[in-house]
Amino acid sequence: MPHIAVKLWPGRKEEAKENLAKKIVNVVVEELNVDAGAVSVAIEEVKQSDWEEQIYKKEIKDNSNIYVKPDYEYE
């Protein structure tokens, strides 16, 4: 606890994803006062062509648990 899932378009280097995961862990440790060993971070690449159906419509749109909403929409 906690587990953070990051979904993004493909194309980032492994080093960038590893750095992002480490930074997320550091922020979670600081903000939630948990041990770093309790935090897990997953990074999933989703093709741009699949984003609307797989991510936006299923996980973002109309989701009251989203604390930071994107400034884009699909019709």
Side-chain angles (χ1 to χ4, degrees):
M1 159 1 233
H3 173 71
I4 290 78
V6 176
K7 297 179 183 183
L8 45 74
W9 292 347
R12 276 51 172 220
K13 294 180 179 180
E14 282 301 309
E15 182 180 10
K17 293 185 281 187
E18 289 171 7
N19 288 339
L20 174 62
K22 289 175 185 175
K23 288 179 180 182
I24 289 170
V25 168
N26 290 338
V27 169
V28 169
V29 166
E30 182 180 324
E31 291 298 322
L32 300 183
N33 196 27
V34 297
D35 184 74
V39 181
S40 57
V41 178
I43 297 179
E44 178 184 346
E45 293 185 339
V46 178
K47 290 189 290 187
Q48 183 177 355
S49 59
D50 295 334
W51 191 265
E52 179 180 6
E53 290 298 320
Q54 290 184 12
I55 306 303
Y56 184 77
K57 287 183 178 179
K58 291 181 179 179
E59 298 187 29
I60 298 172
K61 184 179 180 184
D62 302 325
N63 183 342
S64 62
N65 292 320
I66 301 286
Y67 281 78
V68 178
K69 296 190 181 221
D71 62 359
Y72 64 85
E73 292 183 23
Y74 291 93
E75 294 182 31

